[in-house]
Amino acid sequence: MPELPDVEAFRRYFESTALYQRITDVEIRSQQILETKPERLRQGLVGRQFEGTWRHGKHLFAALDNGCWLELHFGMSGNLTYFKKMDQDPEYDRFLIAFDNGYHLAYTAPRKLGEVDLIEDVDAYVEGNGLGPDVYSDEFDLAQFRSLLSDRRGMIKSALMDQSLMAGIGNVYSDEILFQVGIHPRTKVQDLSDHDLASIFDTMQEVLATAIEHQARPTDYPDTYLTPHRGQEGVCPECGVSLERVKVAGRSAYICPERQRQPKGA
DNA sequence: ACATTGACCTGAGAGC
DNA sequence: TGCTCTCAGGTCAATG
């Protein structure tokens, strides 16, 4: 789930549930997701309250009233749940925050591939972790997109998914973008025309906006979207042809073989 | 530089 | 039913 649109949905959820309530307790049920010592996390959170949120790529940041930030990354299966009674705690909750209004915020992750940390500065975190610019920020424009890809050697899907190049796109949304523009994921970046790049950029913005608008729930996406049809029995929503699964960059990419022609030499 | 593979984790679903 | 295999929306390190 957690690519940019999903994390944006988490951010809004966090904003609408967890701000301006005093944190009374912190419970860590899995050490594996922690990037810091449990005691440091506890001491950084208890007694404070959240005042706002930020997102960069697939990372969510929650500002505390002492200037520090809680950093959350959701791996392949992470989620957030705000709930009241502890006897109704969600399955796979790895990290819990209790508020003075009696409610709790749970970070859940069936697969423990996520990351929870306490940091002092978001910009330093982004820089220190080598993250590229957020692809859905106001500053990210076509000129920057072109510039980032200008000397890129590999395949377009790999480039879109490379968080150090640009942050936010993962396996599902790279497939969706390339499906919408009718470009095969193995196409070399260097073989794309200026027009192709502009189309990819525009489509990326449109796909992300649409996904965010629908709270990253594929079942609510427009009929023309690939994402709800991803999977073994999937059929192209445009032409009805069976979708194909191809390995690209070590991941399963789903394509419409009619609309996304195999590039020559691949 | 870039592609590929395996590892990290665990659960769900398919097939036997 | 129970076992085994494969796969899953992410990232990192090692290898070619």
Side-chain angles (χ1 to χ4, degrees), chain A residues 1-3 5-11 13 33 58 60 72-81 90-95 106-116 216:
Chain A
M1 224 199 275
E3 300 181 33
D6 310 273
V7 178
E8 178 60 20
F10 296 160
R11 191 189 68 77
Y13 182 77
I33 54 158
K58 304 172 187 173
L60 175 59
L72 299 173
H73 187 270
F74 297 91
M76 289 175 85
S77 63
N79 208 336
L80 293 176
T81 306
E91 215 176 352
Y92 313 119
D93 44 349
R94 311 301 189 187
F95 169 59
Y107 169 97
T108 62
R111 274 169 272 169
K112 303 173 180 173
L113 296 175
E115 173 185 315
V116 175

Side-chain angles (χ1 to χ4, degrees), chain A residues 141-152 165 197:
Chain A
D141 58 13
L142 177 59
Q144 185 171 23
F145 183 68
R146 278 194 206 288
S147 150
L148 288 171
L149 294 178
S150 64
D151 52 0
R152 184 78 182 189
L165 192 67
L197 290 177

Side-chain angles (χ1 to χ4, degrees), chain A residues 100-234:
Chain A
D100 63 359
N101 65 354
Y103 279 77
H104 306 263
L105 185 70
Y107 169 97
T108 62
R111 274 169 272 169
K112 303 173 180 173
L113 296 175
E115 173 185 315
V116 175
D117 202 355
L118 194 64
I119 64 166
E120 289 175 7
D121 187 79
V122 170
D123 289 341
Y125 180 89
V126 168
E127 168 87 27
N129 286 74
L131 294 174
D134 182 276
V135 295
Y136 200 63
S137 79
D138 291 339
E139 294 92 61
F140 192 73
D141 58 13
L142 177 59
Q144 185 171 23
F145 183 68
R146 278 194 206 288
S147 150
L148 288 171
L149 294 178
S150 64
D151 52 0
R152 184 78 182 189
R153 296 284 159 182
M155 305 177 286
I156 183 61
K157 181 176 169 72
S158 307
L160 294 176
M161 288 174 56
D162 184 345
Q163 303 302 296
S164 68
L165 192 67
M166 58 188 94
I169 306 290
N171 200 27
V172 166
Y173 290 95
S174 58
D175 277 4
E176 185 66 60
I177 292 160
L178 293 172
F179 170 78
Q180 295 290 332
V181 282
I183 289 174
H184 195 283
R186 301 196 87 104
T187 308
K188 297 270 202 302
V189 172
Q190 294 303 314
D191 292 339
L192 293 166
S193 67
D194 278 358
H195 176 262
D196 289 334
L197 290 177
S199 299
I200 293 171
F201 178 81
D202 289 344
T203 303
M204 177 193 302
Q205 299 305 311
E206 192 182 303
V207 164
L208 293 173
T210 302
I212 289 167
E213 183 188 334
H214 294 97
Q215 287 94 47
R217 290 197 299 251
T219 48
D220 295 341
Y221 291 172
D223 295 338
T224 53
Y225 271 48
L226 171 77
T227 303
H229 306 278
R230 276 177 69 91
Q232 52 293 349
E233 302 293 297

Side-chain angles (χ1 to χ4, degrees), chain A residues 22-27 38-50 64-66 96-98 118:
Chain A
R22 199 59 61 185
I23 297 167
T24 57
D25 198 13
V26 166
E27 188 181 340
E39 267 321 294
R40 181 170 164 268
L41 191 65
R42 161 176 294 279
Q43 282 167 17
L45 292 178
V46 174
R48 316 238 71 103
Q49 58 184 4
F50 293 112
L64 291 154
D65 57 2
N66 64 353
L96 292 152
I97 298 171
L118 194 64

